[in-house]
Amino acid sequence: MNEKTGLTPYQRLLKNDVTPRSYVVLGAFTILVGWMISGIVILGVQMAIREDPPGTLSWFGLLATNLTLIPLIPLSVYVARGLNKQTPGLLASVVGRIRWRPLAWFAVVAVVLELISFAVIELGNVPLATGERHGGGMAPDAIAVIAVTLLTSPIQAAGEEYYFRGYLLQAVGAYARSWVVAVLVTGLLFTAAHGIWPWQSPALFVDRLAFGLVAGLLVVRTGGLEAGIASHAANNVVTFVFAAFTDTVGASLGVKDAPWPLVTIDVLKFAAFGAIALWMSGRMKLENRSELPLSALSVGGPRQV
């Protein structure tokens, strides 16, 4: 908490005087284990019903994949509330809830930038990631893939944001007072979680890390997850809609390498979104510090089990 203003920055919202600070580490692993268990169950059900051939991904496989990430939202929220006794809503933003109007405006900007970058890639015939292509026939289940993408990819993206830019960023912030440390650590963890390491694909490492750093910066500066969710969701939706039209859904999900020109466009897109989102947050006068109590319990009050 800032002693001069009495307000708390987003990255410090998980630190309170009611629960031990070590609980944020326990909470991070609890969410991770819960996510792994739910993912195993969901993918197990999917494979029992219908398993996609190697290298391909049907609408059903995409649905199952997205569903494995959506549980990160309730897991993050309930661990923050139940284990850390955090005031409900402080994972979403400093005002204790998702701010829907800013989210909508951020989404509009994110989609426009995605379409602009897509046009540059197509018109410039920029080389695509391994397995992807500029043209070709539609996927046989393209309509279903697009429907699944529109209905579930935004929520899947929100799941990742709630864990990485929400719980984990606040967990690191409980130990490191500097927001820079929290953004760097969670950016690296986000990149590692996607299986992209420098010695496998330096280009994709830079791509994922750039997004993680921009999204983390925006969370701190705008005081909530809205901008990160909007950018993440727009990227995933445009990617898989395009993949449906070019029959490269499996390749898009399992991409292992990408050319530097494509990554350069991606990084510039993320940077442009970050700059515009920061300007918009100023125009909308978004709060980035919270005046709410950090815990739903008073210090010295009864602890819930």
Side-chain angles (χ1 to χ4, degrees), residues 50-292:
R50 186 175 75 185
E51 186 174 357
D52 293 328
T56 67
L57 190 70
S58 66
W59 71 268
F60 191 63
L62 179 61
L63 174 63
T65 300
N66 283 350
L67 290 178
T68 63
L69 290 163
I70 291 174
L72 284 171
I73 299 175
L75 284 169
S76 298
V77 168
Y78 286 122
V79 167
R81 290 183 187 179
L83 180 65
N84 304 108
K85 311 304 180 189
Q86 186 185 62
T87 297
L90 288 182
L91 275 188
S93 78
V94 294
V95 300
R97 57 179 172 79
I98 285 288
R99 297 165 293 186
W100 293 102
R101 182 172 173 269
L103 174 61
W105 280 112
F106 288 141
V108 169
V109 173
V111 169
V112 169
L113 288 176
E114 287 291 338
L115 294 177
I116 291 174
S117 65
F118 173 77
V120 171
I121 291 168
E122 285 297 296
L123 294 175
N125 201 32
V126 177
L128 300 178
T130 304
E132 298 179 328
R133 55 177 179 268
H134 285 284
M138 293 176 59
D141 56 351
I143 300 302
V145 168
I146 293 172
V148 167
T149 297
L150 295 176
L151 291 172
T152 65
S153 287
I155 310 175
Q156 165 262 313
E160 293 189 58
E161 293 305 305
Y162 261 86
Y163 183 54
F164 288 100
R165 254 69 62 179
Y167 194 94
L168 282 185
L169 191 140
Q170 290 186 7
V172 176
Y175 285 91
R177 186 171 293 275
S178 170
W179 65 266
V180 176
V181 174
V183 170
L184 284 173
V185 170
T186 52
L188 288 169
L189 291 174
F190 174 78
T191 306
H194 286 76
I196 309 300
W197 294 93
W199 54 85
Q200 289 182 344
S201 174
L204 277 181
F205 179 87
V206 170
D207 190 281
R208 303 294 196 272
L209 181 61
F211 174 79
L213 294 178
V214 170
L217 171 66
L218 288 176
V219 167
V220 173
R221 293 302 190 187
T222 67
L225 298 175
E226 297 88 358
I229 290 173
S231 181
H232 201 154
N235 180 78
N236 289 4
V237 167
V238 171
T239 295
F240 283 106
V241 168
F242 175 69
F245 281 117
T246 56
D247 196 13
T248 57
V249 181
S252 294
L253 185 66
V255 63
K256 299 297 183 184
D257 198 4
W260 282 105
L262 179 65
V263 171
T264 300
I265 293 173
D266 248 6
V267 172
L268 290 175
K269 174 186 66 182
F270 298 146
F273 177 78
I276 295 172
L278 288 175
W279 174 79
M280 290 174 64
S281 68
R283 295 286 294 180
M284 291 186 283
K285 296 181 172 56
L286 295 183
E287 298 291 338
N288 59 16
R289 291 178 179 271
S290 181
E291 60 183 9
L292 298 175

